[in-house]
Amino acid sequence: MSATPQPTPRKRAVVGVILRQNQFLTIRRSQTVAAPGKICFPGGGIQPGETEAEALVREIREELGISSIAGSRLYENVTGWGTSVAWWLTQIEEDAQVEINLEEVAHWSWMPPQVMLRHPDLLSSNRDFLASWRQARFVIPGITVPDDWDDADD
Ligand SMILES: Nc1nc2c([nH]c(=O)n2[C@H]2C[C@H](O)[C@@H](COP(=O)(O)OP(=O)(O)OP(=O)(O)O)O2)c(=O)[nH]1
């Protein structure tokens, strides 16, 4: 008897939306990982047996060298390349000392949402995330959609 072929499970990832004074903590991906040089949030793939929150905290530790706490799950979508991504509002200490892992991250910075949305190197799925926020499909506690986003931005 031949087994019925099963669909390949989607790859799952989790990302951290970290806020400070109306800006998001963004990273530029290193040249040696997938999507090299793209701007996005910290995060990564969920390993077997991990919860989303566990994977989030592990990835932020690996990439930025800091502790974090998974706050609330904001949104979920599927990238153009078929990865299911969970977006979590995430807390870090006020005085956290970021030390990037250069194998994974080339640079990090605080970025206002308008700058992020217009950034030419923004990862496409993050553009979708910001556009969905702009369209009020979900809210991000602690920050409101900027007034000066015009329709041309999404
Ligand atoms: N890190 C991160 N990944 C994101 C974001 N938005 C988004 O769609 N993704 C996708 C890209 C990838 O398909 C997946 C995570 O990939 P990754 O390359 O960062 O993960 P990783 O370090 O664990 O690498 P891998 O072993 O899973 O390949 O999530 C984001 O803002 N940050």
Side-chain angles (χ1 to χ4, degrees):
M1 190 173 72
S2 63
T4 311
Q6 299 295 313
T8 312
R10 275 193 200 290
K11 204 173 157 192
R12 293 169 59 228
V14 61
V15 304
V17 178
I18 301 173
L19 264 178
R20 184 160 303 167
Q21 291 166 353
N22 290 320
Q23 302 191 80
F24 295 119
L25 193 159
T26 61
I27 62 166
R28 186 182 286 277
R29 299 167 69 88
S30 80
Q31 289 301 317
T32 52
V33 297
K38 290 293 183 188
I39 299 288
C40 65
F41 298 121
I46 301 171
Q47 293 176 357
E50 271 186 327
T51 64
E52 290 179 359
E54 286 166 351
L56 178 70
V57 168
R58 176 184 53 73
E59 287 285 350
I60 290 176
R61 161 78 53 200
E62 283 173 14
E63 292 178 354
L64 303 176
I66 56 174
S67 303
S68 61
I69 297 172
S72 57
R73 196 177 195 270
L74 299 170
Y75 190 57
E76 179 173 357
N77 64 3
V78 178
T79 65
W81 53 95
T83 297
S84 174
V85 182
W87 308 76
W88 280 75
L89 187 62
T90 304
Q91 271 83 47
I92 62 171
E93 297 285 343
E94 191 74 27
D95 59 354
Q97 299 295 312
V98 173
E99 277 189 42
I100 54 174
N101 173 356
L102 288 169
E103 286 180 11
E104 299 189 22
V105 177
H107 180 71
W108 76 279
S109 65
W110 294 105
M111 206 177 274
Q114 303 94 314
V115 174
M116 193 173 180
L117 186 68
R118 294 186 184 128
H119 201 295
D121 297 333
L122 185 65
L123 194 62
S124 58
S125 49
N126 288 52
R127 196 175 307 284
D128 297 340
F129 171 81
L130 292 174
S132 296
W133 177 47
R134 156 88 168 76
Q135 291 158 11
R137 295 206 193 148
F138 59 91
V139 296
I140 306 179
I143 185 170
T144 52
V145 174
D147 295 333
D148 58 345
W149 277 10
D150 59 39
D151 290 338
D153 283 330
D154 52 45

